[in-house]
Amino acid sequence: MAALMTLLPAGAQADSSTLAGSLPLKPSVELLSQAPAAANQQGNQVVVNGQPLALPWRLRAGRLGLADFGLLQDFGFELLDSASPSTQPVRWFSDTGAAPIVLNSWLEGGYRFLDITDLAQRYGWQIQPSGASLRISVPVVQIQGIRRSRQDWGDRIVVDLSGPATWGVRESEGEFTVILDALGANPANVSAIATQPGNLLTALQVTPTANNTQIRGTIDRTARPRVSTLTGPPRLVIDVRRDDLAPRNITWAPGLRWQQQYLTVSGRAFPVYWLEVDPRQAGLSLRPIWTDPVTATGTAPLITTAQRWQAAAAINAGFFNRNNQYPLGAIRRDGQWISGPILGRGAIAWDTAGNVLIDRLALNQTIATDRGQQFPLQTFNSGYVGAGIGLYTPSWGPTYTSILDNEVLVTVVNDQVVSQQPTGASGSTTIAIPANGYLLAVRANPTALTALVPGVRLSRQDQTLPADFGNYPQIVAGGPLLVKNRTIVLNAAAEGFSESFATQAAVRSAIGVTDRGTLLLVTLHFSPGGRGATLPEMAQIMQQLGSVHALNLDGGSSSSLYLGGQLLNRIPRTAARVHNGIGIFLQP
């Protein structure tokens, strides 16, 4: 085991954190190893009182940073509104009227790290790196009582403590567990706080362990816990309520702001989470992302995809076939089509100068033979298939597997047909896609088969409609189009969506552009105790947020908004796997 070392004391560097509050700073505690204070170390695991957490940490020049989502989720700090990306006010066991603790921050590897050096000294945390892990020992305080009360909005649990204690929340649909670094809970007293019929909190269990206490609640599926802290004396407060959203307005990075609040439309309040992004900000860029950079197929949780691409933030985007995991809409990255548009559905396009286009998109593609014959292409690298010709390039992946029965696969190398291969049942044939060519999947088109014989040379032409889309290197499709020139232009049927899709109320994602040129990446969830939004309501929400143009994205369980290691809008376990998204990339 490494020896211990002292982190730099408060004020030792210009970037030292500012600590406000009533408690005096303790003398610098013994931390880390006796290596030089300037040594840099990093890892992705933090062990708190023996409990391992997947949490990035960085040690730079004697200053220790933790990813901000960890302080929020695993230590119990409340992130307050912030106008500066370089500082983050937080509150922890302090009165709402007291001056907050202000922590310095920096961006690295898609995370925002908060400098906890002085905070650790203040509260007597013992810290020691061990390879890629960081061990933190926090004082374990005593639980002096647990109380429960019924409120107009739901249920409240109050845990009285002998001092401030770190805590984290783990959620799944219909239940939560608060892991509290405190001891002394008496299971025999749980019956005194038993729940009653009609409560949002339907069951409560308190389980002491050797190092902490776990408070597990079973709750109505329309409710969630909102956990906070108070001082004088120290208390942990667990509010179980349907209107659980805590408003936030945090400047997370230059050109990137995280906001969330309730917005009302049709007389109903909806919890709305969004990122406002300035695409002209130096060091910030947006790119389409999808499950696997090697292939256009497959699905994964948005968190996994964003971290694979090392995106700092992301929103789910286009549609896909849940059975075969193939894309159903346009994806273009850095001028290269990954998947083509379908059904003239709405899409968003942008460039590095901050220009944005939102409109309905079509791609007219044809192939012509050297013998004067011409054939339209039905789709490009797409899971949307029917009679006609589908084109599959290396962007689809190294191989293609037949999607429909009795396809004939035409291999083209260096613009020349080299073979035709009949297939049987769907999924029965897999062949390589040539690196210097492409495949044509001919479906129920005998005329094309007669023309596309080995030796014939081919040329391809394509044109985007509107033509302006061809000028943009980045494109992602969704649909339907919601707002154009500040006017709601919703027409789901015109974009090939079913009547049931057009009329349902659901959890939703959308993207819009404001008259300031900023982009809004928006997710919306169920109103408290009620339903999700209809497409017209989502269009009105986008108008309220200031969208001049706006596009609906895939929604329901796919709706996911990611920022710096966390999903902002939902419990991760409730998020479905998705095919693609829009990623935000930051240079430090």
Side-chain angles (χ1 to χ4, degrees):
M1 181 180 293
L4 296 178
M5 154 186 123
T6 302
L7 284 179
L8 294 182
Q13 289 194 195
D15 66 350
S16 178
S17 304
T18 301
L19 289 175
S22 59
L23 293 181
L25 281 174
K26 295 184 178 181
S28 184
V29 295
E30 291 297 313
L31 306 170
L32 311 174
S33 72
Q34 291 294 342
N40 293 337
Q41 295 176 262
Q42 65 181 47
N44 292 306
Q45 184 184 66
V46 174
V47 181
V48 180
N49 289 1
Q51 179 73 28
L53 305 171
L55 176 59
W57 60 274
R58 299 291 186 269
L59 176 64
R60 303 194 321 177
R63 309 295 299 183
L64 179 64
L66 298 183
D68 61 353
F69 77 87
L71 280 184
L72 177 69
Q73 296 179 357
D74 299 312
F75 286 77
F77 285 79
E78 180 184 358
L79 304 185
L80 304 178
D81 291 352
S82 170
S84 170
S86 61
T87 57
Q88 178 58 59
V90 301
R91 180 176 290 122
W92 192 66
F93 287 98
S94 56
D95 292 328
T96 56
I101 301 170
V102 180
L103 305 178
N104 287 326
S105 68
W106 73 88
L107 299 169
E108 185 178 339
Y111 299 100
R112 184 178 185 227
F113 290 92
L114 302 185
D115 183 349
I116 67 162
T117 308
D118 299 335
L119 186 146
Q121 295 172 356
R122 174 179 184 174
Y123 290 108
W125 298 358
Q126 300 295 312
I127 301 175
Q128 182 180 52
S130 177
S133 294
L134 181 75
R135 299 179 182 177
I136 300 181
S137 296
V138 301
V140 178
V141 303
Q142 295 296 306
I143 294 176
Q144 298 181 328
I146 302 178
R147 297 171 280 132
R148 175 199 162 275
S149 62
R150 181 78 175 267
Q151 306 290 329
D152 292 340
W153 39 257
D155 295 273
R156 168 167 287 178
I157 303 164
V158 178
V159 183
D160 297 310
L161 302 167
S162 64
T166 53
W167 54 269
V169 182
R170 300 292 178 267
E171 287 187 75
S172 59
E173 194 170 17
E175 67 177 36
F176 69 88
T177 300
V178 175
I179 302 171
L180 176 64
D181 289 313
L183 300 178
N186 185 353
N189 294 331
V190 174
S191 59
I193 51 173
T195 59
Q196 301 173 2
N199 289 0
L200 295 179
L201 178 69
T202 58
L204 186 67
Q205 180 180 6
V206 179
T207 305
T209 73
N211 298 316
N212 57 43
T213 298
Q214 299 185 11
I215 302 171
R216 180 178 178 272
T218 303
I219 59 179
D220 187 284
R221 291 182 179 272
T222 64
R224 288 184 66 182
R226 183 194 290 183
V227 188
S228 59
T229 59
L230 294 171
T231 190
R235 285 156 288 166
L236 181 79
V237 180
I238 306 170
D239 289 336
V240 178
R241 54 196 305 161
R242 293 188 172 100
D243 58 336
D244 63 282
L245 181 66
R248 286 203 172 94
N249 187 344
I250 294 174
T251 304
W252 198 85
L256 174 57
R257 183 186 300 182
W258 163 21
Q259 299 177 81
Q260 58 186 48
Q261 68 180 77
Y262 285 100
L263 294 177
T264 300
V265 64
S266 304
R268 187 182 296 270
F270 292 97
V272 183
Y273 310 74
W274 74 99
L275 301 176
E276 184 169 7
V277 183
D278 186 350
R280 300 154 300 189
Q281 173 68 46
L284 183 151
S285 62
L286 292 91
R287 295 288 190 277
I289 58 176
W290 56 97
T291 303
D292 187 345
V294 177
T295 173
T297 64
T299 61
L302 183 68
I303 288 181
T304 302
T305 300
Q307 292 176 342
R308 174 175 291 171
W309 288 86
Q310 296 186 323
I315 190 171
N316 71 292
F319 298 95
F320 56 97
N321 186 306
R322 293 190 181 275
N323 295 324
N324 55 30
Q325 303 179 357
Y326 294 162
L328 296 174
I331 305 172
R332 190 182 192 189
R333 181 181 169 106
D334 298 333
Q336 178 182 357
W337 287 105
I338 306 304
S339 178
I342 64 171
L343 300 171
R345 288 180 173 175
I348 179 170
W350 65 95
D351 61 20
T352 55
N355 299 305
V356 178
L357 173 63
I358 297 179
D359 208 340
R360 297 185 179 100
L361 167 66
L363 179 64
N364 288 343
Q365 288 187 305
T366 59
I367 55 170
T369 72
D370 57 2
R371 301 173 186 178
Q373 297 157 297
Q374 194 173 64
F375 301 93
L377 296 177
Q378 182 210 32
T379 55
F380 174 76
N381 284 354
S382 179
Y384 181 75
V385 296
I389 303 174
L391 172 66
Y392 296 88
T393 70
S395 295
W396 181 257
T399 62
Y400 170 81
T401 300
S402 56
I403 300 176
L404 293 183
D405 294 345
N406 302 316
E407 295 178 346
V408 177
L409 305 181
V410 178
T411 300
V412 181
V413 177
N414 293 327
D415 297 323
Q416 185 173 11
V417 177
V418 298
S419 68
Q420 288 189 6
Q421 180 172 339
T423 68
S426 63
S428 64
T429 303
T430 299
I431 68 172
I433 299 176
N436 55 346
Y438 52 88
L439 290 180
L440 298 172
V442 182
R443 302 156 179 145
N445 193 329
T447 303
L449 290 177
T450 302
L452 302 175
V453 295
V456 169
R457 298 198 64 82
L458 302 178
S459 60
R460 289 167 46 197
Q461 299 83 34
D462 63 79
Q463 180 185 19
T464 59
L465 297 175
D468 287 349
F469 270 106
N471 300 323
Y472 289 86
Q474 322 296 337
I475 299 176
V476 169
L481 192 65
L482 298 175
V483 179
K484 186 71 175 176
N485 296 322
R486 296 183 170 85
T487 301
I488 294 177
V489 294
L490 178 63
N491 188 340
E495 299 183 30
F497 291 101
S498 67
E499 178 67 19
S500 61
F501 177 91
T503 57
Q504 68 180 324
V507 175
R508 298 202 176 274
S509 295
I511 188 166
V513 59
T514 71
D515 58 5
R516 303 182 302 279
T518 58
L519 289 171
L520 304 175
L521 283 62
V522 182
T523 58
L524 175 151
H525 269 249
F526 297 117
S527 60
R531 58 171 175 81
T534 63
L535 284 171
E537 288 170 338
M538 189 67 190
Q540 293 176 61
I541 290 291
M542 296 305 289
Q543 284 183 320
Q544 282 191 41
L545 292 174
S547 296
V548 177
H549 315 293
L551 173 72
N552 186 64
L553 302 172
D554 191 11
S557 59
S558 295
S559 182
S560 305
L561 187 62
Y562 169 86
L563 178 65
Q566 62 179 322
L567 281 187
L568 302 181
N569 66 317
R570 68 189 315 150
I571 303 167
R573 293 180 183 178
T574 68
R577 299 166 68 91
V578 299
H579 177 273
N580 62 83
I582 298 172
I584 300 171
F585 298 85
L586 301 174
Q587 297 177 359

